[in-house]
Amino acid sequence: MLGVLLEPASVVAKAWEHIYAIGHRTFWDPRTVLVVGAGPIGLLAALLARQRGLEVHVMDQVTGGPKPVLVEALGARYHNGAVADLGLSPDIVVECTGVPALIQQSAEVAAPGGIVCLTGVGSLTDRSAGGIESGLATTAVLRNLVLFGSVNANRRHYYLAARALSRADRGWLEGLVTRRVAPHDIVQALHRDPDDIKVILDFTA
């Protein structure tokens, strides 16, 4: 059943490969990571960051349920609330929501010379952020940031993902799969519960 985590893990493996390729173009000694969003991509991003020995902070909107428990089980810190109120200046931000306001806030808290990786895909109709384009450009220039997007992966990233998953605690990985639904109940699978992380269709049910 846990094989379903390979594809999202490959997305994260590619993101981390690019983060390190960008960072190592100059002197770079990252220590702190902020992951915005604690869905499957965010939690797997936190997992790979901890495997690299980094100090990891994960922010999401929920206050209970499995997400804070899974984050703390990694040896990371869980936060909710506004990004600006966290009091962090992370060397790396992995933004996993695609929400324009959170992308802007992520860039604003990143340490000077930091890297912001965007993995979330937001709504094309979301205009709530107003002038995010000019504000984000100004922040990136004045703080000497690198912002880039990363999605999907090739064969090499699937291999890296498989290696990362094999090193992870199986019980922790099982905690990412919060519901298993039979194919004939697919409508139920598409309905999002507050505690959902990864919902899978179980064809053996």
Side-chain angles (χ1 to χ4, degrees), residues 39-40 50 65 75 80 85 92 116 138 140-141 179 182 194 205:
R50 288 295 297 140
N80 63 356
D85 294 338
I92 301 166
V116 180
T138 300
V141 170
R179 282 194 295 141

Side-chain angles (χ1 to χ4, degrees), residues 36-57:
V36 181
I41 295 290
L43 290 170
L44 289 168
L47 169 67
L48 269 66
R50 288 295 297 140
Q51 289 182 347
R52 286 163 171 75
L54 298 169
E55 176 188 323
V56 180
H57 299 262

Side-chain angles (χ1 to χ4, degrees), residues 65-179:
K67 292 181 178 180
V69 175
L70 287 166
V71 169
E72 290 165 9
L74 284 176
R77 291 191 59 187
Y78 184 86
H79 307 268
N80 63 356
V83 176
D85 294 338
L86 300 182
L88 297 173
S89 183
D91 303 301
I92 301 166
V93 180
V94 184
E95 208 294 319
C96 306
T97 71
V99 176
L102 291 178
I103 295 172
Q104 178 75 58
Q105 293 167 29
S106 297
E108 290 171 350
V109 301
I115 297 173
V116 180
C117 174
L118 309 179
T119 65
V121 180
S123 171
L124 295 176
T125 61
D126 185 356
R127 297 290 182 259
S128 61
I132 183 173
E133 295 86 358
S134 60
L136 188 59
T138 300
T139 299
V141 170
L142 295 182
R143 298 177 67 81
N144 196 35
L145 303 180
V146 173
L147 291 93
F148 76 99
S150 182
V151 68
N152 217 330
N154 63 29
R155 182 176 179 179
R156 179 176 74 259
H157 302 123
Y158 277 85
Y159 169 77
L160 293 172
R163 188 168 64 179
L165 293 177
S166 70
R167 292 165 53 196
D169 178 77
R170 183 178 178 87
W172 188 87
L173 293 175
E174 288 174 346
L176 297 182
V177 180
T178 46
R179 282 194 295 141

Side-chain angles (χ1 to χ4, degrees), residues 55-69:
E55 176 188 323
V56 180
H57 299 262
V58 179
M59 195 209 82
D60 199 275
Q61 61 184 346
V62 301
T63 58
K67 292 181 178 180
V69 175

